[in-house]
Amino acid sequence: MESTIWIWLLICGFVPCFIPNGVLAITEHFDNTYCGTKGMVTNMKRIYIGGLFPLKGNRFHSVRGRSELEAARYALDLVNEQSSSDGFVLCMFHNDTECDTGIGADALFDQFYRKPPMKILLGCSCSEVSKHVATITQYWNVVMLSYASTSVALSKRELYPTFFRTVSPDTSQGSALGALLVHFNWTTVASLTYDIEFYSLAAREIINLIESTGVVEFATKASFVDDPGAELDKIKEQDRRIIIGTFGQKEARKVFCEAYRRGMHKSKYVWLLIGWYSKEWWRETDNIECTQQELMQATNNVFFIDSLNLGIEDKPSVSGLKPSEFETLFSNGSTRPISPHAPQTFDAIWTIYQTLRNTITVLGRNLSLSQEDTIDLLSKLNYKNNRQVRHILMQEMAKQSFDGVSGTVRFDGPDRLGTTRIRQKQGDGLATVALFFPEDGGYLDFTYPGCSPIKWPGRIPVDELTYVEKPLHVSSSALIVISVINGVGISVALAFLGFNIRFRNDKSIKMSSPNLNNCIVVGCILVYLSVILQGLHTEIVPVSSFVPLCTARAMLLASGFSLAFGSMFVKTYRVYHIVTHATSRGLGKRIMLRESILFAMVGGLLALDLIVFILWATLDPMYRQVTKTQSQVSEDETIAYIFTVESCSSNRAQIWLGVVYTYKGLLLLFGVFLAWETRKVKIPALNDSNYIALSVYNVVMLSVIAVAVSSLVKQPHLVTITFTLVTGCVVTMATATLALLFIPKVISVRSNHLGGDPISSSVGLETRGQTRRLIADESTELKENIYRWEVQNRAYKKECEKLEQKIAELEAKLLSLQNSEKINLRENRLSTIISESSDTSELLIDLPETIIDNYNGSPKTESPETCPLLERGDSGRHSIDSRQAPKENIYSLFCVQAKEKTSTNFCVNNTHVEIIYAADEEGDVSGSNDTKSTQCDCKTFDTKLIFSLHKNKNYYSKLQNSASPTLQTDKQKEEITELPSDMTDNDECILPEDTSEMEEELHKERKDLECKLVDLEETLLSS
């Protein structure tokens, strides 16, 4: 089609220079010249203008074209009523372009060659036709004024130097669109364009104009030819919510039908359509698969951006008509429907009239001609000598500024500076919601009279999903409740502390280490304080104070735990120490666990906490960590809330927590061990094993619950519940510890004040007046006895094992010393002694000197209990250091009587005596006198003891009913000449026996073993 135009230009472009006007007028044509109702009958000079309108072809354009032609003729009627006073009549001949470039060019040349010379061309409606016609008119020196062409390409003055238009270009709608996008902060948008040149060019110019500001970005640029479904899927997949549509009404029905099926009509989407749309265009459902109701629903709240057709202010225009009057009068006599550009066409005629009138004035002034002569000259000018007049016409048209029915008419280059209207589909109609004025750089006015408020289905949509960080904190109500509970806990702890101090001298409190009880209370108070600090967050304290807060609450919790449970376990360890040392024999001095040692143990735990946290703060400082959880989209899908949870963390937090948990866990295990070992201590003031077991159980179980619940912090809406449950577990642990420790003591103190004695009661006694009596409870007494027996039995078994081991060691040493040589020497010595003392009646063997303490010169009869044995308490229980140190008056006596007799040993006056029988060759004791007694003298450090033995082996002197052998002085030994009356020759030698009764059989066995051990030691020493 463009080649056809250029051919016409080459062939006919210079024809006006050689063909006189009217030569082609003989060609048959339809005379469609119109000079108005008054101009048709006047004899005044006529000035002709041309007109191009789409009267046939496409129904959409033809209907508009006929309406625009009627608006032009209506304007001619009013113009010629005023122009008669100016001395000329304005006439217009028109042709049909059918909105086709070829037909439009043919119609233009028809006017060039078959019509009188025109000074200005009015047209065209379609932008494509206007572009081709404007390319031609510049060679014919004809100024062209369009009333409906909005293409931005026509704004290029270098291509179309003689072009003007009374309709605002699409770029003006682009400016209004850009201002609207910026106003609602829609900076990321998508465009959907019908892919033909008219729309694609407009869309490209609008996009470039808007993006040139650097504020708005067209992230998605989609175009379609037939089916817009694929492009809509692309836009939806990229989550573009603000969609700029550049297409006509027919294509709009397809687009919104597909958008309805994809749910792209919901509240989060905003559709902005550029261009004019007729009223109720959505009611037509031809060639689409959606119903009218669906299409109406899909187009609800859609925005339409187009030029304002009628003036905003209803005031008289240059024609004398108000915009409302024009609309009423024109609609009554015009073809329906009315073209949206009819007001612009009406104002275009008035623009031509104003331009011609001003040109006549300027031309007359320049040529010094009268108005009549100037009009005559202007009417006779042809296309050849019209160049200077064209220049004047363009200047005068560019200066135009008047109020028309479509608003103020003024130009910026080829384009009209018109007001842009923004409408919104509200219900079944379109409502104007804003106006864009191009003055002063352009601005939007939402409050101009006649503008309706914008209706949103919910909140104002956003261009993309807005991610808003929403910090999750413990609710104020929960924090207040937890703080009050902890306050009550601290008050109770302080009350227990006062009670413990007040009654620290009470028997029940004193035996339970009141100072350590105070440490337990202080530890629980620190735990309560750490819980209160746990609920503080950055909305309460500054961000700069959050990290010190993290360290403080961790230190308080750890220190409180160490103080509370460390003190409890340490005082239980003292009880454990007493019990274990009471059931074992220690040879060294007893080690007492004083309170200073116990406090040192607790201080060691606190020092360990301090060291760990100092190293933590130095090597791996804590910081405020903000953890983002999964986003939650609002109901209108405009905001995605990213919930954040602030916490204390460090780079190696897990390692440090593992260290803390490890030694705290070991502390709990140690407490469990102590509780198990002291579980049978019957004195309640000393035995906290049950309470420790319950406390440890509470700590373990509640810690497991707290860890499990803390994992719920990932659930945004459960942060308050999580905090409540976790802090509840900690508070329960502290409160249970206090209750288990102090409530029994409160009861015990109260019982003491009422006359009871919990200590006596625990051992089976009751106090009545000044007398203590056993409680007549057979079951209790039996249990106590069984318990004592079990303890004694375990002690005896351990001691017996040790003694047996010691005896075995001593016997081994003795055997090693008694070799064959020493035995022979001993036998020779004994033989010599026997032979030398054969004429005597006694055998004396000197013994090593020993010390006998407290000897008063006379023997003292002692019971076997006086032998250095292990002494026991009256109750039969073992006590620490119960072994008595053996006395130093131990010696041995060897009296030889008969070889076949074994040695005999016994105890007397805390002295150990051993007798060895050695017979002569005939088997009798040395000495022939039966009446004589064989005496064995033993010299000691300070005196001489004489043990009297009868020469006959069957006779051994002893006192009647005595458990000891006879101890005689020198005077007494001469008096012994005969056997006692209770002994005969047939009587065997009876050694002294211990006739005292022992309390228990185990006691006797132990004493015998002790004596045997001492005998072996002294024998080894004597040897």
Side-chain angles (χ1 to χ4, degrees):
M1 191 63 64
E2 291 182 358
S3 62
T4 305
I5 297 173
W6 286 109
I7 292 173
W8 273 101
L9 288 175
L10 291 175
I11 296 175
C12 305
F14 301 99
V15 170
C17 300
F18 306 101
I19 302 177
N21 293 335
V23 171
L24 298 178
I26 58 175
T27 305
E28 243 180 73
H29 65 277
F30 177 74
D31 188 5
N32 52 12
T33 302
Y34 185 79
C35 296
T37 56
K38 187 175 181 180
M40 297 296 293
V41 297
T42 184
N43 294 323
M44 289 185 296
K45 295 290 183 179
R46 295 184 178 184
I47 297 178
Y48 290 93
I49 62 173
L52 297 175
F53 301 93
L55 303 177
K56 297 180 181 178
N58 184 278
R59 182 176 180 274
F60 175 78
H61 295 293
S62 62
V63 170
R64 283 190 174 189
R66 287 193 291 269
S67 177
E68 293 158 358
L69 177 59
E70 291 179 5
R73 287 182 171 180
Y74 184 49
L76 284 173
D77 291 339
L78 298 178
V79 164
N80 287 331
E81 290 180 358
Q82 295 184 13
S83 64
S84 58
S85 59
D86 296 326
F88 69 93
V89 175
L90 186 63
C91 297
M92 181 187 71
F93 45 83
H94 68 273
N95 289 82
D96 182 14
T97 63
E98 298 184 14
C99 203
D100 182 87
T101 56
I103 298 175
D106 182 71
L108 175 64
F109 285 111
D110 179 74
Q111 292 179 355
F112 282 155
Y113 292 107
R114 297 184 181 182
K115 299 294 182 180
M118 54 182 169
K119 306 303 178 289
I120 298 174
L121 174 64
L122 179 64
C124 304
S125 176
C126 300
S127 295
E128 293 301 315
V129 177
S130 294
K131 286 191 291 183
H132 290 282
V133 171
T135 305
I136 299 172
T137 55
Q138 60 180 316
Y139 298 105
W140 292 75
N141 296 321
V142 175
V143 178
M144 181 178 178
L145 179 61
S146 175
Y147 52 85
S149 297
T150 60
S151 174
V152 295
L154 294 170
S155 300
K156 298 177 180 179
R157 180 62 77 186
E158 65 276 11
L159 296 180
Y160 313 104
T162 62
F163 180 79
F164 289 88
R165 53 186 167 189
T166 57
V167 63
S168 299
D170 293 334
T171 53
S172 66
Q173 299 170 5
S175 299
L177 174 62
L180 184 65
L181 295 177
V182 173
H183 176 78
F184 288 109
N185 197 27
W186 295 331
T187 57
T188 304
V189 300
S191 64
L192 182 63
T193 307
Y194 182 40
D195 195 10
I196 62 174
E197 186 178 3
F198 175 76
Y199 295 109
S200 61
L201 181 60
R204 183 165 58 251
E205 293 295 333
I206 291 173
I207 292 173
N208 293 335
L209 176 66
I210 294 175
E211 286 187 333
S212 64
T213 61
V215 178
V216 180
E217 176 190 4
F218 282 79
T220 303
K221 300 175 183 178
S223 59
F224 68 96
V225 177
D226 295 324
D227 184 13
E231 301 302 324
L232 289 175
D233 291 335
K234 177 181 177 182
I235 294 173
K236 183 177 182 180
E237 181 180 356
Q238 296 179 0
D239 196 25
R240 304 302 174 205
R241 297 156 180 250
I242 312 302
I243 305 171
I244 313 301
T246 311
F247 36 74
Q249 292 183 167
K250 180 179 179 181
E251 292 76 21
R253 297 185 184 95
K254 294 181 180 179
V255 169
F256 283 100
C257 181
E258 295 296 331
Y260 178 82
R261 293 181 175 183
R262 289 162 175 79
M264 297 178 68
H265 64 289
K266 296 181 180 179
S267 59
K268 71 175 183 178
Y269 291 98
V270 177
W271 287 87
L272 301 168
L273 304 184
I274 297 176
W276 183 88
Y277 285 79
S278 63
K279 295 180 179 179
E280 300 183 352
W281 60 270
W282 54 84
R283 295 189 181 276
E284 298 182 15
T285 57
D286 298 341
N287 301 323
I288 60 173
E289 298 179 358
C290 293
T291 63
Q292 186 182 94
Q293 185 65 27
E294 291 174 344
L295 196 59
M296 289 179 63
Q297 187 176 355
T299 57
N300 198 27
N301 299 321
V302 174
F303 290 90
F304 301 89
I305 302 173
D306 61 347
S307 298
L308 187 63
N309 297 325
L310 290 174
I312 307 170
E313 298 179 0
D314 195 22
K315 61 182 180 179
S317 63
V318 68
S319 64
L321 294 177
K322 296 179 180 180
S324 59
E325 294 175 348
F326 168 79
E327 187 177 20
T328 302
L329 294 174
F330 183 72
S331 61
N332 291 334
S334 176
T335 304
R336 296 296 184 96
I338 301 175
S339 171
H341 296 129
Q344 284 88 342
T345 307
F346 182 87
D347 287 339
I349 295 296
W350 281 95
T351 302
I352 293 174
Y353 168 71
Q354 295 284 80
T355 300
L356 288 174
R357 191 175 62 176
N358 293 342
T359 300
I360 291 173
T361 303
V362 172
L363 187 60
R365 185 172 60 249
N366 292 341
L367 299 176
S368 301
L369 297 176
S370 63
Q371 181 177 359
E372 184 178 354
D373 293 338
T374 304
I375 294 173
D376 183 64
L377 176 63
L378 185 60
S379 63
K380 294 180 180 180
L381 286 176
N382 56 24
Y383 300 115
K384 177 181 178 181
N385 53 16
N386 197 28
R387 183 179 297 274
Q388 185 179 2
V389 175
R390 185 195 76 175
H391 181 69
I392 296 173
L393 288 172
M394 291 183 61
Q395 288 181 340
E396 295 303 320
M397 185 171 290
K399 294 178 182 179
Q400 292 301 310
S401 178
F402 62 90
D403 293 329
V405 294
S406 62
T408 302
V409 178
R410 59 182 178 275
F411 297 95
D412 180 15
D415 301 327
R416 177 182 176 177
L417 293 177
T419 303
T420 303
R421 173 181 58 181
I422 301 175
R423 296 180 296 171
Q424 184 187 29
K425 180 178 179 292
Q426 298 179 357
D428 293 337
L430 297 177
T432 301
V433 294
L435 296 174
F436 177 78
F437 298 94
E439 295 84 358
D440 301 327
Y443 64 93
L444 277 173
D445 191 349
F446 292 90
T447 61
Y448 199 88
C451 293
S452 302
I454 299 176
K455 291 185 178 180
W456 303 107
R459 67 173 70 239
I460 298 177
V462 294
D463 56 348
E464 57 184 354
L465 194 62
T466 303
Y467 292 92
V468 178
E469 290 189 2
K470 187 175 182 180
L472 291 175
H473 298 304
V474 179
S475 65
S476 300
S477 58
L479 183 58
I480 292 173
V481 170
I482 293 297
S483 300
V484 170
I485 293 175
N486 281 272
V488 173
I490 293 174
S491 301
V492 172
L494 292 174
F496 283 142
L497 181 62
F499 166 81
N500 193 70
I501 296 173
R502 170 66 177 80
F503 298 98
R504 63 185 179 276
N505 294 323
D506 188 272
K507 188 179 299 184
S508 299
I509 303 299
K510 190 173 184 179
M511 293 187 67
S512 65
S513 303
N515 293 330
L516 290 176
N517 291 342
N518 294 339
C519 293
I520 296 175
V521 174
V522 173
C524 292
I525 292 176
L526 294 181
V527 172
Y528 286 129
L529 292 176
S530 70
V531 172
I532 296 176
L533 295 182
Q534 189 72 28
L536 300 181
H537 46 78
T538 52
E539 289 185 358
I540 300 176
V541 298
V543 178
S544 59
S545 302
F546 188 80
V547 173
L549 180 65
C550 293
T551 305
R553 61 193 184 191
M555 278 290 297
L556 286 176
L557 183 59
S559 302
F561 184 90
S562 297
L563 271 177
F565 288 92
S567 301
M568 182 186 297
F569 297 158
V570 161
K571 74 172 189 174
T572 306
Y573 175 71
R574 179 165 64 177
V575 178
Y576 166 75
H577 186 272
I578 293 173
V579 172
T580 54
H581 283 70
T583 56
S584 62
R585 296 179 55 86
L587 298 178
K589 186 178 180 179
R590 182 177 60 177
I591 300 176
M592 295 296 295
L593 291 180
R594 302 184 181 276
E595 278 199 345
S596 58
I597 299 177
L598 302 182
F599 278 112
M601 294 180 181
V602 177
L605 294 175
L606 293 177
L608 180 60
D609 289 335
L610 184 61
I611 292 172
V612 170
F613 281 97
I614 289 177
L615 292 176
W616 191 347
T618 304
L619 302 178
D620 189 19
M622 290 187 180
Y623 57 86
R624 176 175 174 264
Q625 183 181 27
V626 179
T627 304
K628 296 181 180 180
T629 62
Q630 295 181 352
S631 60
Q632 181 177 345
V633 181
S634 59
E635 294 182 359
D636 55 3
E637 300 184 13
T638 58
I639 299 177
Y641 294 102
I642 301 177
F643 296 97
T644 59
V645 179
E646 60 182 8
S647 59
C648 303
S649 182
S650 62
N651 296 331
R652 298 177 179 86
Q654 299 300 325
I655 297 177
W656 295 106
L657 290 176
V659 172
V660 174
Y661 292 157
T662 298
Y663 74 79
K664 297 296 182 186
L666 293 176
L667 180 61
L668 291 177
L669 291 177
F670 179 66
V672 172
F673 167 75
L674 294 178
W676 176 260
E677 290 295 322
T678 60
R679 67 190 184 279
K680 292 187 177 181
V681 175
K682 299 302 180 181
I683 302 176
L686 296 177
N687 186 8
D688 289 333
S689 59
N690 294 332
Y691 307 144
I692 291 176
L694 289 175
S695 298
V696 173
Y697 176 80
N698 289 334
V699 170
V700 173
M701 294 304 298
L702 293 175
S703 298
V704 171
I705 295 174
V707 171
V709 172
S710 62
S711 63
L712 298 178
V713 76
K714 298 180 180 179
Q715 303 293 331
H717 57 285
L718 297 179
V719 62
T720 300
I721 298 177
T722 302
F723 167 78
T724 304
L725 293 177
V726 171
T727 54
C729 292
V730 177
V731 171
T732 302
M733 285 188 287
T735 306
T737 301
L738 288 174
L740 292 173
L741 179 65
F742 284 99
I743 291 179
K745 291 177 174 51
V746 172
I747 297 174
S748 177
V749 170
R750 183 176 180 274
S751 176
N752 288 347
H753 289 180
L754 294 177
D757 188 353
I759 308 302
S760 300
S761 300
S762 64
V763 296
L765 298 176
E766 63 177 357
T767 303
R768 292 183 180 178
Q770 300 297 327
T771 305
R772 291 182 180 179
R773 298 181 180 180
L774 289 172
I775 299 175
D777 187 352
E778 296 180 358
S779 61
T780 302
E781 181 179 2
L782 180 60
K783 291 179 181 179
E784 291 291 335
N785 292 335
I786 291 174
Y787 173 72
R788 293 193 187 101
W789 297 336
E790 288 177 352
V791 173
Q792 292 176 2
N793 188 31
R794 288 196 298 268
Y796 291 156
K797 286 182 179 180
K798 290 182 180 179
E799 292 167 1
C800 289
E801 291 175 357
K802 291 181 180 180
L803 292 174
E804 290 291 347
Q805 183 179 1
K806 188 68 175 180
I807 290 171
E809 293 176 358
L810 295 175
E811 288 178 347
K813 291 180 181 180
L814 182 61
L815 291 176
S816 64
L817 294 176
Q818 293 176 348
N819 51 46
S820 59
E821 182 177 358
K822 291 184 178 181
I823 294 175
N824 293 333
L825 291 174
R826 184 176 181 83
E827 290 178 353
N828 293 334
R829 183 181 177 189
L830 292 174
S831 300
T832 303
I833 293 173
I834 294 172
S835 61
E836 292 176 355
S837 59
S838 59
D839 56 347
T840 64
S841 60
E842 55 187 9
L843 176 62
L844 300 176
I845 299 179
D846 294 331
L847 300 176
E849 293 183 353
T850 58
I851 299 174
I852 301 177
D853 296 333
N854 302 323
Y855 180 70
N856 55 8
S858 60
K860 180 180 179 181
T861 303
E862 298 285 350
S863 64
E865 283 77 8
T866 59
C867 192
L869 298 174
L870 177 64
E871 298 296 335
R872 300 181 184 275
D874 295 337
S875 63
R877 296 184 180 180
H878 291 279
S879 61
I880 298 176
D881 293 342
S882 61
R883 177 188 291 272
Q884 301 283 341
K887 296 183 179 180
E888 299 179 357
N889 57 348
I890 301 175
Y891 67 93
S892 298
L893 174 66
F894 294 86
C895 296
V896 179
Q897 243 182 353
K899 282 187 176 182
E900 64 272 21
K901 291 293 183 179
T902 59
S903 60
T904 303
N905 59 80
F906 54 88
C907 298
V908 59
N909 196 23
N910 286 333
T911 301
H912 183 78
V913 179
E914 183 175 357
I915 303 175
I916 299 177
Y917 299 91
D920 55 11
E921 295 179 356
E922 298 178 357
D924 295 331
V925 180
S926 300
S928 59
N929 190 356
D930 294 341
T931 62
K932 289 187 176 181
S933 299
T934 301
Q935 296 180 344
C936 295
D937 294 343
C938 178
K939 293 182 179 181
T940 64
F941 182 79
D942 56 354
T943 185
K944 178 179 179 183
L945 294 179
I946 301 174
F947 291 83
S948 177
L949 295 175
H950 199 274
K951 67 179 181 178
N952 193 327
K953 64 182 180 179
N954 294 326
Y955 293 94
Y956 184 81
S957 63
K958 65 177 182 177
L959 299 178
Q960 293 293 333
N961 300 324
S962 176
S964 302
T966 302
L967 299 176
Q968 300 181 10
T969 62
D970 292 339
K971 181 179 180 180
Q972 290 174 329
K973 63 182 180 181
E974 294 177 358
E975 298 176 357
I976 302 175
T977 56
E978 57 184 1
L979 291 173
S981 61
D982 59 343
M983 297 186 62
T984 62
D985 292 341
N986 295 326
D987 292 337
E988 296 182 354
C989 181
I990 301 175
L991 295 177
E993 297 179 353
D994 188 1
T995 60
S996 64
E997 295 182 359
M998 297 184 179
E999 294 179 355
E1000 295 177 8
E1001 182 178 356
L1002 289 174
H1003 193 188
K1004 178 181 178 181
E1005 179 182 357
R1006 178 177 172 279
K1007 289 181 179 180
D1008 293 339
L1009 289 173
E1010 286 287 345
C1011 290
K1012 187 176 181 180
L1013 176 62
V1014 175
D1015 294 343
L1016 291 174
E1017 289 177 347
E1018 293 302 321
T1019 303
L1020 180 62
L1021 180 62
S1022 300
S1023 301

